[in-house]
Structures are given as structure tokens and as C-alpha cells.
Amino acid sequence: EWLAARQLDARPRLLEQLQVDDGWQLAVETVLGDDLQAVCVDAIGSLGATLGQLEQGRLALLEVAAEAPVAAEFLASKVRSGGRAGSLLAGVRVAPDLAAALAQRSGLAAHESVITPEGVWLGPNWLRVARPAGEQGGAIRRQQELEALVEAVGLQQQAEEALAVALQSCQHT
């Protein structure tokens, strides 16, 4: 209701704005967690004044930030989000496997962490593992598959329309 009252209920969620390199979907999903459902807004400032009217529920708002180049050793380099996810992924390094991640652990600063493609996420003194339920994979992978299917349907519709035009042209000659 709070979102609808501010015409934000139709705004895209972060999940819909993400493009993640193959193999890194689970890692990104592990780090972003609930933030995948963050509502993408143009500016948070004016909305902050109305937070007192949010009586119940959870809310995450995310505005566009300048996208700076990111070194390949960071998870943000595996994600394109139109300037939305960079700050949420800041300080998260990548490792190809658990052995490499464990080797990096001793060199991490207090605000840094390292994650593997399998979603094993380590900090200087902590470890988290995420395993999606079922065989379908996580939300990011499903979103990317859905986008690919929508694109394929669009291409099929274009082909159908071209064939219909060709058929009509043949019938008139």
C-alpha cells in the first residue's frame, strides 16, 4: 500500500535490472539476498520523509549511482545493473573455488569478503553457504531464463508475421 500510494508499485525490482555473467548467478544471489527485491527508484531523498507512514513490512529502495569500472577480482565486475548494484557488491572479491577463497581470507580487510561461483562466501572471520532449493537454480538464473524466453517468443512472432506477409503476397500474385 505504501508503494502504491507513492506510485512505486510498478517500479522494477533490482532482480529485473541485473545481468550476471554465466556461472556467477548463485554468488550474486547469495550476496544480494533480500536486496534482489529492492525497488529501483530515481531518488530516495524525498521518499525518506514518508517512511513514518510505513506501518509494517520490509522495504528496500535502491537508486541509480554512477557506475565506475571495477577490477576483475571483484564480484561487481560480473554484474551489469545500470548503476544499481555496485554499492551492494562493493568489497566482495571472487575466487574460482573454495581453496582459492580460503587462501585469500587472510589478506581480507575487515570490510571485505570473497565468494565462489558455488555461493560459498567468506569474510575475515565468517563463512556462509547458500544452496537453492530444487533443480531450477536461483532467482537470478530463473529471471535470465525468463528474459531469454520472452526474447525467443518475440523473434518467433516476428518470423510468423514475416511468413504471413509472404503468404499474403503469394496469394495475391
Side-chain angles (χ1 to χ4, degrees), residues 129-145:
V129 179
R131 300 284 187 248
E135 297 178 16
Q136 294 181 346
I140 294 173
R141 181 165 297 199
R142 289 191 311 271
Q143 178 70 26
Q144 288 177 325
E145 288 172 359

Side-chain angles (χ1 to χ4, degrees), residues 121-139:
W121 190 17
L122 302 98
N125 64 341
W126 53 269
L127 180 143
R128 290 185 195 154
V129 179
R131 300 284 187 248
E135 297 178 16
Q136 294 181 346

